[in-house]
Amino acid sequence: VAICLLPFFLMNSGKKKRDKQLLQSLNDFAAKSNCSISKSDVWYNAAIGLDEKNNLLFFLKKENETESFKEIKLAEIQNSKILTNSKAYGKKNNESLLIEHIGLALSSVDKNKPDVVLTFYSSDSNRQIHTEYQLAEKWVKIVNICLQSKNRECQVLSSFM
């Protein structure tokens, strides 16, 4: 029995280690801006975090060995929404939709600036969708709560975490 369970144990401990490293990288990035992340989520190869006191959102995406970070001032964001792209496959009578992208779209107060899109899922880098859509829904709600605070300290209910 132990031999059968060993691969699952090793996969789970590897995931926990990877998640811990991603969160540490995100915290280190926030610390460079004298911020402290109070709410966060980690999945597959990405992490998102919020500094409620400074109303800043931090995002980390790791592809191969390259980490890309984003810092978003929520005072400069008008609204947030889930962005999905999908493609239809199959015959007309029996079409299926394949989701290719799930993101969190943040619209700037300045209409001349393009939306900031934080990618939660891309079929180019992930083979399967796990909890990415649910996480995007959760973070849309969190960001919108912070946007309602109008530059004040954002207070997100613990029921979101």
Side-chain angles (χ1 to χ4, degrees):
V1 174
I3 293 173
C4 294
L5 294 177
L6 184 62
F8 295 106
F9 175 75
L10 292 175
M11 284 183 357
N12 190 38
S13 65
K15 180 189 177 315
K16 285 182 182 181
K17 182 179 177 184
R18 184 183 70 236
D19 289 355
K20 187 175 179 180
Q21 289 172 339
L22 283 169
L23 188 57
Q24 185 60 51
S25 292
L26 188 69
N27 281 315
D28 291 347
F29 178 66
K32 290 178 184 176
S33 297
N34 295 320
C35 292
S36 177
I37 292 176
S38 53
K39 307 278 187 247
S40 63
D41 276 304
V42 178
W43 67 99
Y44 186 61
N45 60 352
I48 190 169
L50 174 69
D51 179 326
E52 292 174 289
K53 185 176 181 184
N54 295 304
N55 224 358
L56 290 169
L57 187 66
F58 295 91
F59 185 76
L60 161 63
K61 185 80 170 177
K62 186 172 183 176
E63 303 231 17
N64 300 322
E65 293 303 314
T66 305
E67 292 180 334
S68 60
F69 295 93
K70 290 185 182 176
E71 177 182 321
I72 298 105
K73 295 177 183 172
L74 293 179
E76 297 174 1
I77 300 300
Q78 182 176 355
N79 63 35
S80 68
K81 63 183 177 186
I82 296 177
L83 178 67
T84 59
N85 293 334
S86 54
K87 187 185 279 188
Y89 283 95
K91 298 179 182 177
K92 279 197 173 194
N93 296 343
N94 194 16
E95 273 189 357
S96 296
L97 284 180
L98 175 66
I99 296 177
E100 295 183 323
H101 182 267
I102 299 170
L104 178 62
L106 305 167
S107 301
S108 177
V109 172
D110 182 350
K111 300 295 182 201
N112 295 321
K113 289 186 178 179
D115 288 357
V116 175
V117 178
L118 307 177
T119 300
F120 279 59
Y121 168 80
S122 172
S123 61
D124 293 336
S125 58
N126 304 21
R127 293 182 185 218
Q128 290 185 331
I129 297 175
H130 295 283
T131 59
E132 291 88 348
Y133 191 83
Q134 291 84 357
L135 283 172
E137 284 182 320
K138 173 183 170 180
W139 281 92
V140 162
K141 290 176 185 174
I142 289 171
V143 168
N144 286 333
I145 287 170
C146 292
L147 295 178
Q148 292 171 1
S149 70
K150 299 289 184 196
N151 299 328
R152 294 186 314 270
E153 186 174 318
C154 175
Q155 294 291 321
V156 178
L157 301 174
S158 60
S159 62
F160 279 111
M161 305 329 275

